[in-house]
Every structure is written in structure tokens, then in C-alpha cells.
Amino acid sequence: MDSTADSTALLTDHYELTMLQAALKAGTAERRAVFELFPRRLAGGRRYGVVGGVGRALDAIEAFRFDTEQLAVLEGVVDGPTLEWLAGYRFTGDVWGYAEGETFFPQSPLVVVEASFAEAVVLETVLLSIYNHDSAIATAASRMTMAAGERPCIEMGSRRTHEAAAVAAARAAYVAGFTATSNLAALARFGVPTTGTSAHSFTLLHDSEEQAFQAQIASLGKGTTLLVDTYDITEAVAKAVELAGPELGAVRIDSGDLGQLAHDVRRQLDELGATETKIIVTSDLDEYAIAGLAAAPVDGYGVGTQLVTGSGHPTAGFVYKLVAREGASGDLEPVAKKSAAKTSIGGRKYALRRRDRKDVADAEVIGIGTPAAGDHNDRPLLTQLVKGGEIVGREPLDAARDRHRASVEELPVIAHSLLKGDPAIPTLFQ
Amino acid sequence: MDSTADSTALLTDHYELTMLQAALKAGTAERRAVFELFPRRLAGGRRYGVVGGVGRALDAIEAFRFDTEQLAVLEGVVDGPTLEWLAGYRFTGDVWGYAEGETFFPQSPLVVVEASFAEAVVLETVLLSIYNHDSAIATAASRMTMAAGERPCIEMGSRRTHEAAAVAAARAAYVAGFTATSNLAALARFGVPTTGTSAHSFTLLHDSEEQAFQAQIASLGKGTTLLVDTYDITEAVAKAVELAGPELGAVRIDSGDLGQLAHDVRRQLDELGATETKIIVTSDLDEYAIAGLAAAPVDGYGVGTQLVTGSGHPTAGFVYKLVAREGASGDLEPVAKKSAAKTSIGGRKYALRRRDRKDVADAEVIGIGTPAAGDHNDRPLLTQLVKGGEIVGREPLDAARDRHRASVEELPVIAHSLLKGDPAIPTLFQ
């Protein structure tokens, strides 16, 4: 399992270090530089994105050190002077960024790194990995919790993604409003609440469904959730209430037409007097399926595959680009690539969320340098995360969770649309 | 960074342990059980799948231990007797499976775990995580290397996926025929060769493209790969050859119409006498784009996003199901779930690759128990991976890479089709 004490320095592309080597030799490595991490667009015609991974990225910056083990691997990858430089590496620059849980739009400057070229370039891969993964998950999760309204969503996709990605996915989903995860490492690492009851194998292990239900109730109590679709659902629900009585916590349905079954099971539970017993549904749910079940008597959604794979968009598509660097004069000068379709905008950005008089967001305002004074109802979006190499942006995960809720609530109503379309607010360049 | 010495025990769903608790209390936890990990179908109408992650799964089984740190997390998740049982956990059962790099088809029993229910059920999540991720990547990678023919494919997708998933993705791509990765941790952990040269930021750091090229050649030699699309490609290629001469290793094109540009750049290089200088293309390539460039004078493909996200199918969709368990008689009895659309087949499986007289595969033969004797040209697919708790299935990564090549070559020609359709060979149940 990952540990933040372990080095993150090799979670890096080979070319970051060969570029470093060439720049060290050319005498350009120490030029001051500004890199920005941003999305060119929103994936899949979505209305907004959600920033995930900030806390993990800060841990990764702090753990980005080359000790004997890492340096031994790099013999043959880079030359002696570069190894020597890496041995002394620690990030001493500044980082500003959107806080975790914040919503974002095309071109939002999610991270701004200012340091020497050498110090900043080597962070490219690991920062992109973390932000691209965690924000893809947080964005999908936010659409799901929005579609679910007041009903809880539970993350249970660990088995469908890389075992370490699963832990980060559980964390990102929690930021974006999920109430719990099945992943125990997410509890250990990030304090995300866990939940869970039983699988079909548990029923099949026993000589009968009745024996399985009895075993579960005896050990976990009547408040447990019984899985009722191993054989016949109607018989299972009858048996469940017979054994646990009306105190039965919940039943879970994991196959079939979930809407129809939820209606049938609700009626049966009510007729049996189990009016407080909840109905949890699972089985390849995504935001559209959740929205489609809004009228069904469902009390909670368990979401797996579609959550951990970003519901069709497993990566957020962020890039990390040099936007300014020290020129001959010693001042920072804007720089930008000019080739086809991948143009970037030179110069260090600021970013503001402009709101109308009712505090509803109406634009993402991005400019170069410092914003002009004015009487707009603007909320600054960049906050300092690292100051002179010291991590200053850490916060409890619940702060990110609260920010997510507030940021989504601030958006115009169109943000709730699951249909493909334009971003909920336009990006304005000043 | 992950270390195999770290425990994998918490990379597990909460319900595995609550099921364990209930089964311990009911006295059913020690029943002998057989679980199988298998695909119900092939994702996306693909012709075959490729098994990835076997070596990593064996490491994960070995590292599945609950020490003080893990047990402290589980206080409140499970009861005292369960914690005590977990404290003594070590897997003592047997595991058979398809070897890494082998191709697979619908219902192929990729892993067969025989142990007590308790010992086997707790491995579900971590085994599925590893196999679902690594096999999704290996399968996508195999289609890409098949489309690329003799031209090398280089994995460079680390920035588009979770930072630890990136390392596993580089490994899986190598198994499926990629020649190298950009990921340095994959070199450190698994010995995958790495490669890489420079990004646009390196050009932009310098006062001119010429200065950047000079810096790179001075440090990395004339055999380096120069990125030629930061400004004007024709000017960049002319300058590159002027500076490095005909010994220039390669140029990289990362934007625009790659086929047209490759033709133009090849002509220009040849006219400048740089007939040995190679052309590497990158920019959102997938297996279809690679196939589309077959007629273009391209010498290598750098593949990123589409590789690490499984080219549209980021998870392999494997499940882990109880197929047999000890009955009242003490014998193993087949068990199977009966609910809608997710039916499984009870009983422990064998699997054979049936070939015709020319050694071309023509069926995936699956049956319960032991195969009947016959004169078929059958290749057994299950190999022992764990014996009485001891890992016996480890092998060098190149063995998996060789197996992949041989297994794909054995398939009928239809396996080369990138169009959606039926599996290359049918699955026959005996």
C-alpha cells in the first residue's frame, strides 16, 4: 500500500529528467519559470468539472525526493551531474491552485507552479497523474450525487480499477458528496466512512438462503442489509422480514429492472409491516440510471464501475504547460506553443468566479497578471498551496466536501443538466 | 510508492470482512470453497482479451497480512473474534490460473482459488482490482501492437491515469508487446525499459528553438529525438538536420495531421540526406489511428491516454464467483446464483485451447471437473500459481511477453480485425 512517507520521485516520465539534464548543461535549468495545469475543455459536453486530488498532490510534492534507491535506478538514465542535482532536490518554489472540491471550467488555471524550470518541470508527471485521475472521478461523482438528490450514494467500485486508484477514487467520491465507500484502505488513509454487508457468495456458502440470512442477522444485527436477489426476490423478502421483523435495516437488489423491482419490493415490505426497511439498489449504475430511478422508492444507490471509470471519461485531460519564464532581462516573459490545435495562452493567470447580485455564478474570469479593480461580485479562485517549498494548503477532507457542495449550489440551474452541452458558465478572458 | 513488502490486506471491500464475521459465527467459514475469476463477455466486441496482472496478484496474495496497523483500522468494522482470526491470516490454499500474457475468451476461468471460504473470500477485491485493471490495459495494448506490426509502440500515458496505476499500465503494455515506457517507476519495479527525450516546455524555456535543439544535442547526443512541432515544422526539421547532421536519431511530431506530416517530413529529411533519421508520432493515438498510419512513413508510435484508459474499456469486467463449496457430505458441491442476467455456472472448471491440425486455435473448451481423454490437439490453460499457500507461479516478465506473442500468433486471422464482432474463437462448454 502507498505510504506518504515513500518517495514519489520515480512516478515521473523519463523525459522530464533528460530535459533537466540538457537544461543543466546549457545553463538554462535555473531560469525562473511558471507552469500551469489546466483543462483545454470539459470532457463529454459536461456542464462543469470538480477539482480532486489537491491534498494528495501536496503529499506527493513533499515526498518528491531522490534517495539512494531512486538514484540507483537512474544510473544510465541521466548523467552524473544530473544525479547529483537530483540527490539534493527539494521543491523550494510556490504553488497556487483551486482548492479541492471547487468546480472548474475550460481553461481554469487549476494549479500555478512558480519555481526554477528544473524544480518545476520534474513535478509534471506526478501532478498530472493525480489531478487527472482524482478530478475525473470527482466530476463523475458530483453528477451522480446531484442526480441522487437527498438519497445517499455509496462508492463500491474498488474491484473495477487498479487497487491503489481505488483508494483515491473513494476519497474523490467522498469529496463530491458520496456518503461512504466499501474500500477499507480509504478509511485507513483518509478517514472515509466505510459500509457494506454481503455478497451472493455468502448466500451460496450456506445450505439455504434462510440459513444465510440467519447467520448474517445473528452476527450483524437486524439493522443489516440483506441481499435478496440470489434466487427469488419475493421469497427472499418474505423470509428476510420473517427472520428480522420490521427492524430489518435494508434489502439490496443487484440485478433486473431496478425501478420495477423497487416498487414491488416496497409494496411487499409495507404489506409485511416493514415500512422503515430501506431499499438499496446496485448494478452498473451511472448518473443517468440514478436520475431514471428518481421516481422509484429507492433509499440509496451503490455505485461501482461507472464511478471508478469516470462514467465514460476516466481522465480529466489536464495538461501542464510552461506559460512564462525568465528572459534575458531577468523578468518573467510569457511563452506559448504555436502548433496546430494545441495552442496555449502565455503568461501567468489569475482566476475569479464572477457572480450576479443573487450570488449565482455567471462567468469564469481568467486574465494575465493581476485583476483590475472593479465592483464585480468576484470570488478569487487561486489559493496558496505551497510557499517557498513549505506545504501550506492542507485541510481536512470534510472542508473539501463542504466546498464542493457550496460551489455546486452557486452554479446556475443549467449545471444540473445531464445532457451534453455548453459549460454552465462561460470562460471570459480579460 | 507501493512496495511489495507493504500489506495489501486493506485493499479490500468492507463486506468481505463482515461476511467473514457472520460465517465465523455461523460455523460455515471453514467450509472448503472454490471461487473463480472470469469474464462474462469480451468488452466492446473485441476478438480476444489478454491476461495481465498475474505476477502482481501473486505478490498481493503474499502480502495479504493483517498486522497491528491494519487491525487497528478494523476496530469497529468487525468484532473481536474476527480481528483475532484476521491477525493469523495467511493464505494456505491453492490457486490455478491462466498464465500472464495468455489470450482469453468469454467465460475463460482465469483464476481458480480453492481454500476455505474464509481464506478465499477476503481475496476477492484485490484480485479483481489487479486483474480487471491490468488485463484491460494488456488487451488494449495487444490491439495496438498488432495494428503497429513491426513498428515499435512506446507507452507514455502515465500522466493520464492514477500514479500507481500508471506503473502497472506500463508493465501490462510491455507484456502485450510495447517496447518501452516513459515511466521510471516501471523500470525500478519491473525492469521495463524506459525512453524519452523532451517536451514543448524545453523548447519554450530557451531563447530560440535553435538554442533548445543545441542544448539537447550537446547533452543527449545526435542520436536523440527532437520535438519539431513547437513552432513551424519545416523550419524545425531543417534546423534539426543542420545542427545534428544525418546522424540525427529521430524527430517527434505531436500535433496536426500525422499521416500528411509524416510524408512531408520524410521527404524533407531524405532531401537533406537524413535518410536514417526516424519519425516518431504521438498525439492521442489508439489502435485505429495506428492502423490508419500503416501506409505513412512512421517509425514508431508513442501512445498515452488511450493505452492507460484501455482504449474505451478501462476495466475488463471480470467477476469472482463462488462456484463450489463443501456440502453436508464433506464433498465439494457446485453452486450458482439464479437471478436475472447474471447467471453463473456452478462447479470447478478446466480450460483447454483447442487447435486444428495446423496448430491454429479454433475453440476455448471449458468443462466441469476433469477433461475426458481424446485425441484433440488441446493445450491446457490452467497452471498452478499457488500451492498450499506457497507462491509457485512467479516468472520473469519477458516470459509473459513471449507467451503473449505466441498466443496471439496461434489465433485465427480474424483476431486481427479491429472491427466489433464475435470472439475470434467460440467458447465450447463440455
Side-chain angles (χ1 to χ4, degrees):
Chain A
M1 229 171 80
D2 294 68
S3 151
T4 49
D6 290 335
S7 171
T8 53
L10 293 184
L11 300 169
T12 296
D13 286 326
H14 184 114
Y15 83 171
E16 313 291 3
L17 302 192
T18 51
M19 282 193 281
L20 169 66
Q21 172 182 315
L24 284 171
K25 178 151 183 166
T28 49
E30 295 304 325
R31 290 185 174 184
R32 298 293 297 169
V34 180
F35 280 84
E36 288 177 359
L37 185 153
F38 62 92
R40 295 189 196 279
R41 62 194 73 84
L42 298 181
R46 288 171 173 174
R47 307 312 185 131
Y48 66 95
V50 175
V51 181
V54 180
R56 295 205 316 114
L58 296 178
D59 290 344
I61 291 172
E62 195 168 67
F64 203 90
R65 304 289 175 92
F66 297 82
D67 66 18
T68 318
E69 187 186 332
Q70 284 77 41
L71 294 171
V73 172
L74 298 177
E75 299 265 1
V77 172
V78 289
D79 63 16
T82 307
L83 291 174
E84 202 169 308
W85 189 92
L86 291 173
Y89 182 84
R90 80 179 267 280
F91 183 74
T92 63
D94 294 313
V95 180
W96 295 264
Y98 281 42
E100 190 149 12
E102 185 60 84
T103 53
F104 69 81
F105 298 92
Q107 304 289 335
S108 295
L110 302 182
V111 186
V112 179
V113 178
E114 182 169 343
S116 69
F117 175 83
E119 281 191 26
V121 74
V122 297
L123 296 177
E124 175 173 23
T125 310
V126 72
L127 290 180
L128 282 172
S129 292
I130 292 172
Y131 273 88
N132 270 324
H133 175 268
D134 289 18
S135 300
I137 307 302
T139 299
S142 179
R143 287 161 60 87
M144 293 168 180
T145 55
M146 190 177 259
E150 295 302 309
R151 297 175 180 175
C153 291
I154 300 159
E155 190 285 304
M156 40 177 70
S158 296
R159 63 190 57 196
R160 304 296 190 178
T161 188
H162 182 279
E163 69 278 14
V167 188
R171 179 186 181 282
Y174 184 71
V175 166
F178 273 57
T179 53
T181 178
S182 62
N183 189 290
L184 292 167
L187 169 64
R189 286 283 297 281
F190 304 116
V192 181
T194 63
T195 183
T197 53
S198 64
H200 296 106
S201 64
F202 183 79
T203 302
L204 296 171
L205 168 68
H206 292 87
D207 299 329
S208 66
E209 193 171 51
E210 176 169 2
Q211 193 195 80
F213 286 180
Q214 279 175 326
Q216 187 173 327
I217 294 163
S219 176
L220 301 170
K222 291 178 177 177
T224 192
T225 300
L226 292 173
L227 178 61
V228 292
D229 70 343
T230 305
Y231 305 110
D232 179 89
I233 293 180
T234 307
E235 287 176 26
V237 170
K239 186 58 69 181
V241 178
E242 184 189 319
L243 295 172
E247 300 95 57
L248 177 63
V251 296
R252 176 161 80 97
I253 310 171
D254 182 47
S255 53
D257 180 332
L258 298 175
Q260 182 62 52
L261 290 171
H263 279 290
D264 296 346
V265 169
R266 181 75 269 157
R267 189 177 316 113
Q268 188 185 1
L269 286 170
D270 290 348
E271 284 169 6
L272 294 169
T275 54
E276 301 297 310
T277 300
K278 294 189 183 335
I279 298 175
I280 308 296
V281 296
T282 54
S283 190
D284 267 343
L285 296 177
D286 62 11
E287 61 268 48
Y288 303 101
I290 290 169
L293 289 166
V298 166
D299 300 290
Y301 302 98
V303 189
T305 307
Q306 294 302 319
L307 185 278
V308 298
T309 59
S311 199
H313 300 281
T315 185
F318 301 148
V319 293
Y320 184 82
K321 296 292 171 189
L322 183 69
V323 298
R325 49 95 182 141
E326 191 180 333
S329 68
D331 293 337
L332 281 174
E333 295 173 358
V335 292
K337 176 173 173 226
K338 283 167 193 158
S339 49
K342 287 184 174 176
T343 308
S344 50
I345 299 163
R348 177 173 160 178
K349 316 294 182 305
Y350 63 81
L352 308 166
R353 185 70 40 89
R354 182 153 295 168
R355 284 94 46 93
D356 65 14
R357 291 181 188 170
K358 292 178 175 167
D359 285 335
V360 177
D362 62 15
E364 187 83 337
V365 175
I366 300 174
I368 311 290
T370 312
D375 63 350
H376 292 294
N377 183 11
D378 285 346
R379 185 162 65 80
L381 293 165
L382 288 171
T383 174
Q384 189 147 22
L385 300 173
V386 183
K387 188 173 184 174
E390 188 196 348
I391 310 294
V392 297
R394 284 206 178 87
E395 61 179 6
L397 202 56
D398 279 324
R401 187 173 157 86
D402 293 343
R403 180 178 301 109
H404 167 261
R405 193 183 305 109
S407 182
V408 168
E409 280 173 4
E410 189 187 63
L411 296 177
V413 177
I414 188 67
H416 288 257
S417 172
L418 297 177
L419 299 178
K420 290 184 185 190
D422 292 327
I425 57 174
T427 300
L428 302 182
F429 290 95
Q430 287 195 328
Chain B
M1 232 173 75
D2 294 67
S3 152
T4 49
D6 290 335
S7 171
T8 53
L10 293 183
L11 299 169
T12 296
D13 285 327
H14 184 113
Y15 82 172
E16 313 291 3
L17 303 192
T18 50
M19 282 194 280
L20 169 66
Q21 173 181 316
L24 284 171
K25 179 152 183 166
T28 49
E30 296 302 327
R31 289 186 175 183
R32 298 294 296 170
V34 180
F35 281 85
E36 288 177 358
L37 184 152
F38 61 93
R40 295 189 195 279
R41 62 194 74 83
L42 298 181
R46 288 172 173 174
R47 307 312 183 130
Y48 65 96
V50 175
V51 181
V54 180
R56 296 206 315 114
L58 296 178
D59 291 344
I61 292 172
E62 195 168 67
F64 203 91
R65 305 287 175 94
F66 297 82
D67 66 19
T68 318
E69 185 186 334
Q70 285 76 44
L71 294 170
V73 172
L74 298 176
E75 299 265 1
V77 172
V78 289
D79 63 15
T82 307
L83 290 174
E84 203 169 309
W85 189 91
L86 291 173
Y89 182 83
R90 81 180 265 279
F91 183 74
T92 63
D94 295 311
V95 180
W96 295 264
Y98 281 41
E100 190 150 13
E102 185 60 85
T103 54
F104 68 81
F105 298 92
Q107 304 289 336
S108 296
L110 302 183
V111 186
V112 178
V113 178
E114 182 169 344
S116 69
F117 175 82
E119 281 191 25
V121 75
V122 297
L123 296 178
E124 175 173 23
T125 310
V126 72
L127 290 180
L128 282 172
S129 292
I130 292 172
Y131 272 89
N132 270 324
H133 175 268
D134 289 18
S135 300
I137 307 302
T139 299
S142 179
R143 288 161 58 87
M144 293 168 180
T145 55
M146 190 178 259
E150 295 302 310
R151 297 175 180 175
C153 291
I154 300 160
E155 190 285 304
M156 38 178 70
S158 297
R159 63 190 55 194
R160 304 295 191 181
T161 189
H162 181 278
E163 71 278 16
V167 188
R171 179 185 180 281
Y174 184 70
V175 166
F178 273 58
T179 54
T181 179
S182 63
N183 189 290
L184 292 167
L187 168 65
R189 286 283 298 280
F190 303 116
V192 181
T194 63
T195 184
T197 53
S198 64
H200 295 106
S201 64
F202 183 80
T203 302
L204 296 171
L205 168 68
H206 292 86
D207 298 329
S208 67
E209 194 171 50
E210 176 169 1
Q211 192 195 82
F213 285 0
Q214 278 174 327
Q216 187 173 328
I217 293 164
S219 176
L220 301 170
K222 291 178 177 176
T224 193
T225 299
L226 293 173
L227 178 60
V228 293
D229 70 343
T230 304
Y231 304 110
D232 179 88
I233 293 180
T234 307
E235 287 175 26
V237 170
K239 185 58 71 183
V241 177
E242 183 189 320
L243 295 171
E247 300 95 58
L248 177 63
V251 295
R252 176 162 80 96
I253 309 171
D254 182 48
S255 54
D257 180 332
L258 298 176
Q260 181 63 51
L261 290 171
H263 278 290
D264 296 347
V265 168
R266 181 75 269 156
R267 191 177 314 112
Q268 187 185 0
L269 286 169
D270 289 347
E271 284 169 5
L272 294 168
T275 55
E276 300 298 310
T277 300
K278 293 189 184 333
I279 297 175
I280 308 297
V281 297
T282 54
S283 189
D284 268 344
L285 296 178
D286 62 9
E287 61 269 47
Y288 303 101
I290 291 169
L293 289 166
V298 166
D299 300 291
Y301 303 99
V303 189
T305 306
Q306 294 302 320
L307 185 276
V308 298
T309 58
S311 199
H313 299 281
T315 185
F318 300 147
V319 294
Y320 183 83
K321 295 294 172 189
L322 183 69
V323 296
R325 51 92 180 141
E326 190 179 333
S329 68
D331 292 336
L332 281 174
E333 295 173 359
V335 293
K337 178 175 173 223
K338 284 168 192 155
S339 49
K342 288 184 175 177
T343 309
S344 49
I345 299 163
R348 176 173 161 181
K349 316 293 183 305
Y350 63 82
L352 308 167
R353 185 72 40 87
R354 184 153 295 168
R355 284 95 45 92
D356 65 16
R357 290 180 190 170
K358 291 179 176 166
D359 285 336
V360 176
D362 63 15
E364 188 82 338
V365 174
I366 300 174
I368 311 291
T370 312
D375 63 351
H376 292 294
N377 183 11
D378 286 346
R379 186 162 65 80
L381 292 166
L382 288 171
T383 173
Q384 189 146 23
L385 299 173
V386 183
K387 189 172 183 175
E390 186 196 348
I391 310 294
V392 297
R394 284 207 178 87
E395 60 179 5
L397 202 55
D398 279 323
R401 186 172 157 86
D402 293 345
R403 180 178 301 107
H404 167 261
R405 193 183 306 110
S407 182
V408 168
E409 281 174 3
E410 190 186 64
L411 297 177
V413 176
I414 188 68
H416 289 257
S417 173
L418 297 177
L419 299 179
K420 289 184 184 190
D422 292 327
I425 57 175
T427 300
L428 302 181
F429 291 95
Q430 286 194 326

